[in-house]
Amino acid sequence: MPTLICDCNQTMPLQPQALGAALNETLTLHSALCRREAATFQKAVQSGDDVVVACTQEKRLFAEVDQQTPGATSVIKFVNIRETGGWSKDAARAMPKMAALLAAAHLPDAEPVATVTYKSAGRLLIVGALDQAEQVAALVADTLDVTIFAQGVSSQPQAGFPAQERKYPVLSGDQLALKGWLGAFEASWEKTNPIDLDLCTRCNACVAVCPEGAIDLSYQIDSSKCTSHRDCVAACKVAGAIDFGREPQALSEAFDLVLDLGAKPLVALHAPPQGYFALDASMGLASPGLLPTVVKLRDMVGEFEKPKFFAYKQKLCAHSRNETVGCNACIDICSAGAVSSQKERQQIVVNPNLCIGCGACTTVCPTGALTYAYPRASEQGVRLKTLLSTYAKAGGRQPVLLLHSQGRGQQAVEALGRAARLQKEVQGVPANVIPLALWHTASVGLDLWLSAIAFGASQVAVLVTDEEAPAYQVGLAEQMAVAQAVLTGMGYAGTHFHLLKGPSDPDAGAVAALDAGLQQLARQQPVGPAVPARFAVAQEKRSTLDMALDHLITQARAPLPEEIELPAKGSPFGSLLVNKDACTLCLSCVSACPASALQDNPERPQLKFIEKNCVQCGLCATTCPEDAITLQPRLLLTPQRKEARVLNESQPYQCIRCSKPFGTLKAIESMLGKLAGHAMFQGAAADRLKMCSDCRVIDIYSADNEVKITDIR
């Protein structure tokens, strides 16, 4: 796979020999690859091999040249080494990072996954003040089929709006609600307006005669102003559009797209469904973001696909057992409302049409029941290992992984690089900070962070902006606290994990703040494993965690404690404390445990526990009828972590008739104590409680003083 590097006007101190040595490739430095030296690019794309171009500035121009090149069959990949390192004050030391970025660009694309399909016929519902809605409708009516849900008129309507000509269907009513997604929205409302908009001719007679001014030009009656003069009814006698005696009517209608210009958005989610747009239109067509949204709406007709970002394994899910809820992490964190509970079926349900692919649910899932599917964890693991191994091979030291989104996070990194090129006070992305773009920063969590440290990263930083929901930032911080507690407990000094707040709009002040934060990270030198790990990241989260922990334990430089105390929030590891005085060994917790951490002993009354399997979901504690179980977040570092140990045991209780053990001494004694004063369990009946099920039946039918059904006449 040929690599083409270009440095226009020699703005970067590139070292092609050093880069080529790290990539096992002979590199030539170009200065006008997209123009005067375009023949070199054309020859490369005619080779049939994938081509890596170290320039994102001229992607469009390279694509045009590729289309015009006869016999061009190569796949072209672009990588940015300019803003990410070449345009920084220590660019001369950034060769290892550039080599790492180029090596990662050579990796194959993620394996394809199942897709989610949306179909839109262009039926657009605009919600808001009638005059503002009509202004926007005029911009899209040639492409989309517009319906307006009128919510009065704006306080300062523009001249000529709302128009007298009825150009669009207009709906009105109360309690408007919306559900669905692109191509499948359903709006429901209650029709309460005394004016029937289908019969209304917009003659404005009702508006003119209303003495209270209760009717505006959206032809809706404000009941708080109306005092029942009913002059409007008389004025509308010919059309008959006004009827105050009309009963409220529940209505609904289907739409493909929704533009919400109302004062209060119909969908309050941080990540609304595809096809729904909510904007403040108080400034009319000059409202921020309105015109770009209109352009998007015009293009949203047809069939669209997106990857199905998640995979779910119910057998690993710790959400519920026997309709008792344990782990709710994925439901609580989802900002798109895509995850819901089906506790009666012992599972959660993810709506793929609502899922935006943020991956936060997979990050907080303690068992790995939810995994990120595009790209898979194993593919991300290969990328991490490639970046870090190439960086080390090229002579780099103390690498810091900077995880950021492909949207505003990437914009912030590139803005920092440009600022470093133009401003003396800005340093730019440090030489040892390796940016890695993700679809969403919440898609990578504890398993890959610890794996990155095991592979040789000194620190992992996650750059978040207002793209990430507040719940995501809280979840990431909790997971980082767990990861840091693990490394600190193992004796790895320093802070290894950081959550950086990036600029939403990269102005000069925000860029300077990001620059200062990255420079501070670059100067830190936390301790990591002396020898990088070689394991392959597995798709199963717990398997990856086990391999990462085993390597970190092996490479620990200080004597290890027996256990590491972990934060209660977000910990996927831990033990259980059982109150032996309260526990009757009913073993209901064993049947509730989704991870097989709790087990019984078929030979004798014992409650056994394998700590390695425990995910701290809490189902055992919730299920326990005696409230005898308490979670203990921790990481046990001794070999006993993988071995079964007894949490509680009791003597078996033997049947007083046949001596067969049928329960525990504690359970039978507890039952006898609770029923001692009950009238139905006295004398012989009380003795039967001490018998096994077989002897109990035999005793009943052999007793002479028992009334039998055949004795009843």
Side-chain angles (χ1 to χ4, degrees), residues 294-524:
V294 167
V295 173
K296 288 182 183 178
L297 286 168
R298 292 178 62 88
D299 289 337
M300 297 187 77
V301 180
E303 190 169 306
F304 307 91
E305 287 187 343
K306 71 174 183 182
K308 184 181 177 184
F309 287 100
F310 64 92
Y312 176 60
K313 293 182 180 179
Q314 181 185 359
K315 66 179 182 179
L316 298 179
C317 185
H319 172 57
S320 68
R321 287 292 185 276
N322 304 320
E323 299 192 24
T324 299
V325 174
C327 176
N328 237 9
C330 57
I331 298 174
D332 292 340
I333 202 170
C334 181
S335 70
V339 188
S340 58
S341 169
Q342 276 194 347
K343 63 179 183 180
E344 67 280 0
R345 299 183 63 184
Q346 303 184 170
Q347 66 178 16
I348 53 97
V349 176
V350 184
N351 187 325
N353 297 99
L354 294 177
C355 174
I356 61 169
C358 67
C361 57
T362 67
T363 293
V364 299
C365 178
T367 65
L370 275 170
T371 55
Y372 204 67
Y374 189 75
R376 297 174 176 85
S378 55
E379 294 167 330
Q380 289 286 34
V382 171
R383 188 166 298 276
L384 292 178
K385 191 184 294 186
T386 300
L387 283 169
L388 294 168
S389 62
T390 306
Y391 179 86
K393 180 181 178 182
R397 296 291 182 268
Q398 293 289 320
V400 180
L401 276 179
L402 178 63
L403 308 179
H404 60 80
S405 71
Q406 295 175 1
R408 292 181 183 172
Q410 184 161 321
Q411 292 173 7
V413 172
E414 292 178 351
L416 178 59
R418 290 191 295 271
R421 172 68 178 158
L422 301 173
Q423 302 174 25
K424 293 183 179 180
E425 62 274 12
V426 176
Q427 300 298 309
V429 183
N432 65 331
V433 174
I434 307 174
L436 176 58
L438 306 172
W439 173 256
H440 201 288
T441 54
S443 65
V444 172
L446 192 67
D447 52 337
L448 286 173
W449 295 340
L450 288 175
S451 294
I453 299 298
F455 292 149
S458 66
Q459 300 172 75
V460 176
V462 179
L463 179 65
V464 296
T465 66
D466 60 357
E467 281 183 317
E468 286 80 10
Y472 292 177
Q473 298 186 32
V474 172
L476 288 170
E478 291 174 354
Q479 292 286 298
M480 282 191 171
V482 173
Q484 188 59 60
V486 169
L487 292 182
T488 302
M490 291 183 182
Y492 293 101
T495 303
H496 301 77
F497 303 100
H498 309 270
L499 195 62
L500 297 180
K501 297 295 180 67
S504 300
D505 297 310
D507 56 23
V511 169
L514 176 59
D515 186 53
L518 291 179
Q519 294 301 323
Q520 184 178 1
L521 289 186
R523 290 191 294 268
Q524 297 182 20

Side-chain angles (χ1 to χ4, degrees), residues 8-9 30-42 61:
C8 303
N9 296 322
H30 301 277
S31 59
L33 188 63
C34 58
R35 290 173 173 79
R36 176 167 39 85
E37 298 174 288
T40 301
F41 170 76
Q42 291 180 301
L61 181 56

Side-chain angles (χ1 to χ4, degrees), residues 49-67:
D49 297 327
D50 290 355
V51 176
V52 173
V53 179
C55 174
T56 55
Q57 170 72 34
E58 300 294 344
K59 287 174 65 174
R60 183 184 63 82
L61 181 56
F62 280 118
E64 291 177 355
V65 173
D66 177 58
Q67 292 177 354

Side-chain angles (χ1 to χ4, degrees), residues 190-194 243-250:
E190 194 172 76
K191 185 177 180 181
T192 56
N193 187 15
D243 181 4
F244 283 89
R246 185 182 296 114
E247 291 292 328
Q249 185 180 4

